[in-house]
């Protein structure tokens, strides 16, 4: 990989100024995009204004669907080594007594449903992953000051902040993942509508010197006097968040003495933690008025911002680029028409709005300041929590909504399975190897059949690969996947689908019952004979269950 260090000098192919995709911003969203695009074999330019990874651990958790995306770039198992998984979640009252306790509910993506992260370490692993790709050029301490686009591509005027050098580089498309204060969004004059909450919060990152009881639990202290978030993070770190109340001195509240006074209420002594940093943040609910303008796409915080209550800000950005990158790859190689890129906003915006609505809802539960209302909340939810399964059902209904696309790139007329992502169980491949489903699918368009295939002439003319799903206990064979966990075939029956046409992101483009033809392929669909995504030279993770 060609990269630029803090001193601004460039190594590698510095003379190349024409790229397939330029990625502006190298946080979790941008670095995921660089890995995805690099693995597809595209020529990629990454621009990042800072010299180093941002040291503040902003995001503190992620989920199984995001881990499934990182599995696609071959980094899931390495990332999980630095994570805490499946920790309990408690909502506690002013006296520290739980009124709702739950564990996140798995949704079939093949990874733990919730994982706590230390963001700087996570970003380092993702950046190391980009080092695998000589087709990705990373310029640190470089900022895009101007974009000019036409029917052929985008010209980027880039300044090196170390030496004030100016470069004019070109890309067919641009992904702007440059954060909530996105300069790219401002240049394009795209609105960023919504609200900023009046309350500001002090976010405290610490190094744990010695453990205390329940240090590995996520607790929302729903105390009307001063709510708090108490969150374990891996690699011996711990996070607290407290609102700044009327009368507080914001500057004073971030001092080490003030931090120790805040956490002392929860039994944390000075010798238990080392305060690494305390920073004040505002919470936002904002959406860009559009996610695409011509050849430029907004992703992550540049496109949307949400409160942190359900830990989905970073995850939403990763989902953005997972949705977008394979479509860019298909358009650049002539497999799909450029109009398919409009499906990015059509699919992502409704889901991220729903996630944001859930985050706001959970935040209201946690931060209720009216004492009578808080007492009712505590009593009602404590009573309901005694009902078997209530906490899990509440979390499943009100935590993170499943991404199911009602509009966008999918066949018409709609079937029950359309717009859904298939679950990811372990399967046994033709050679008898047990792998996760996505590793067997290979990030490509293909047909999945339950049992004997129904002829699909309109699809078969495209020479798409086709796999038959066989039941648990079946012998492996050519062109088959054994449903080792007994998950896929029941899912297909539940969705009344005997045949599925899957997109490269494992979402269902089309489905049909037994004996029926699939709806036709997308207009202008001309898939390559060999899938590039499945043959990028990146080793598949082989961790077995």
């Amino acid at each position: 990989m060609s990269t630029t260090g803090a001193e601004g000098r460039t190594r590698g192919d510095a003379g190349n100024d024409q790229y397939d995709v330029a990625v502006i911003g190298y946080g979790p969203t941008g670095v995921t995009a660089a890995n995805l695009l690099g693995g597809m074999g595209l020529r990629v330019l990454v621009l990042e204004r800072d010299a180093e990874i941002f040291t503040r651990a902003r995001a503190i958790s992620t989920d199984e669907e995001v881990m499934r995306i990182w599995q696609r770039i071959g980094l899931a198992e390495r990332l999980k080594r630095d994570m805490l998984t499946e920790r309990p979640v408690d909502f506690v009252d002013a006296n520290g007594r739980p009124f709702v306790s739950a564990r996140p509910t798995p949704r079939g993506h093949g990874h733990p449903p919730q994982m706590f992260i230390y963001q700087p370490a996570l970003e380092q692993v993702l950046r190391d992953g980009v080092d695998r790709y000589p087709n990705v050029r990373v310029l640190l301490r470089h900022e895009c000051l101007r974009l000019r686009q036409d029917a052929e591509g985008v010209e980027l005027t880039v300044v090196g902040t170390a030496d004030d050098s100016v470069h004019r580089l070109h890309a067919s498309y641009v992904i702007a993942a440059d954060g909530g204060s996105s300069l790219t969004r401002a240049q394009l004059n795209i609105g960023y509508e919504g609200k900023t909450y009046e309350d500001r919060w002090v976010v405290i990152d610490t190094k744990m010197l010695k453990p205390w009881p329940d240090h590995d639990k996520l607790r929302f202290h729903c105390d009307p006097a001063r709510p708090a978030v108490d969150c374990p993070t891996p690699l011996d770190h711990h996070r607290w968040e407290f609102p700044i109340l009327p009368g507080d001195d914001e500057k004073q509240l971030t001092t080490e003495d003030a931090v120790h006074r805040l956490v002392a209420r929860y039994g944390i002594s000075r010798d238990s933690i080392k305060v690494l940093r305390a920073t004040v943040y505002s919470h936002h609910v904002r959406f860009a008025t559009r996610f695409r303008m011509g050849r430029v796409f907004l992703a992550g915080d540049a496109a949307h911002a949400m409160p942190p209550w359900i830990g989905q800000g970073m995850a939403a950005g990763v989902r953005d680029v997972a949705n977008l990158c394979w479509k860019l790859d298909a358009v650049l190689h002539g497999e799909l028409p450029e109009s398919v890129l409009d499906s990015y906003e059509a699919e992502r915006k409704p889901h991220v709005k729903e996630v944001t609505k859930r985050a706001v809802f959970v935040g209201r539960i946690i931060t209720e300041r009216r004492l009578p209302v808080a007492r009712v909340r505590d009593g009602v939810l404590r009573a309901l929590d005694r009902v078997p399964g209530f906490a899990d059902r509440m979390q499943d209904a009100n935590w993170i909504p499943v991404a199911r696309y009602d509009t966008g790139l999918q066949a018409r007329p709609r079937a029950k399975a359309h717009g859904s992502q298939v679950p990811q169980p372990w399967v046994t491949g033709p050679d008898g190897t047990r792998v996760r489903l996505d590793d067997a699918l290979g990030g490509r368009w293909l047909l999945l059949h339950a049992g004997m295939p129904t002829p699909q002439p309109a699809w078969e003319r495209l020479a798409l690969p086709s796999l038959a799903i066989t039941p648990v206990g079946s012998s492996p064979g050519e062109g088959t996947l054994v449903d080792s966990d007994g998950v896929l075939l029941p899912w297909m029956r539940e969705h009344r689908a005997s045949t599925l046409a899957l997109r490269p992101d494992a979402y269902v483009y089309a489905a049909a019952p037994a004996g029926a033809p699939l709806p036709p392929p997308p207009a202008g669909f001309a898939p390559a004979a060999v899938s590039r995504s499945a043959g990028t030279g990146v080793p598949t993770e082989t961790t077995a269950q």
Side-chain angles (χ1 to χ4, degrees), residues 204-406:
I204 302 161
D205 289 306
T206 70
K207 186 76 171 178
M208 186 170 65
L209 302 179
K210 64 179 184 180
W212 54 88
D214 293 330
H215 67 89
D216 58 349
K217 280 188 175 182
L218 169 60
R219 281 172 294 188
F220 294 109
H221 296 273
C222 307
D223 182 355
R226 192 191 296 267
V229 179
D230 178 355
C231 182
T233 50
L235 305 176
D236 294 326
H237 290 83
H238 204 90
R239 161 80 63 87
W240 280 274
E241 300 178 13
F242 298 93
I244 297 173
L245 302 180
D248 284 341
D249 182 327
E250 184 175 301
K251 186 175 181 181
Q252 190 276 334
L253 203 62
T254 59
T255 63
E256 187 165 338
D257 285 344
V259 167
H260 282 295
R261 285 195 296 271
L262 287 170
V263 301
R265 176 169 184 181
Y266 303 109
I268 311 303
S269 61
R270 283 182 172 266
D271 60 351
S272 294
I273 59 171
K274 176 183 179 182
V275 180
L276 300 178
R277 62 191 61 85
T279 309
V280 175
Y281 286 101
S282 296
H283 294 168
H284 309 278
V285 174
R286 295 190 179 276
F287 302 96
T289 53
R290 54 195 301 182
F291 287 11
R292 176 189 186 186
M293 182 169 282
R295 293 175 169 269
V296 183
F297 299 84
L298 303 180
D301 288 353
H304 43 73
M306 69 181 73
W309 305 114
I310 59 175
Q312 284 294 296
M314 179 189 72
V318 173
R319 288 186 177 93
D320 288 346
V321 292
N323 182 286
L324 177 60
C325 286
W326 71 266
K327 295 174 183 176
L328 289 171
D329 179 55
V331 170
L332 284 162
H333 285 92
E335 295 182 356
L336 286 169
E338 190 176 48
S339 58
V340 79
L341 298 176
D342 288 333
S343 69
Y344 165 60
E345 179 173 338
E347 292 178 350
R348 287 298 305 137
K349 198 168 193 177
H351 181 252
V352 78
K353 282 193 169 185
E354 180 62 25
V355 172
T356 303
K357 185 167 72 173
R358 304 285 181 91
V360 171
F361 172 79
V362 173
R364 286 173 179 163
I365 293 177
I366 297 167
T367 63
E368 178 58 60
R369 306 286 178 82
R370 295 167 294 179
L371 186 57
V373 176
R375 285 172 175 164
V376 172
R377 173 202 64 195
D378 298 351
V380 169
L381 291 179
R382 182 172 283 116
L384 290 172
D385 193 43
R386 298 189 185 103
V387 177
F390 165 77
D392 291 338
R393 288 195 300 272
M394 186 187 81
Q395 181 166 310
D396 197 51
N398 294 305
W399 207 253
I400 303 167
V402 174
R404 183 176 186 273
Y405 302 138
D406 293 325

Side-chain angles (χ1 to χ4, degrees), residues 455-462 517:
Q456 303 290 343
W459 289 85
E460 289 162 3
R461 282 194 293 270
L462 299 172

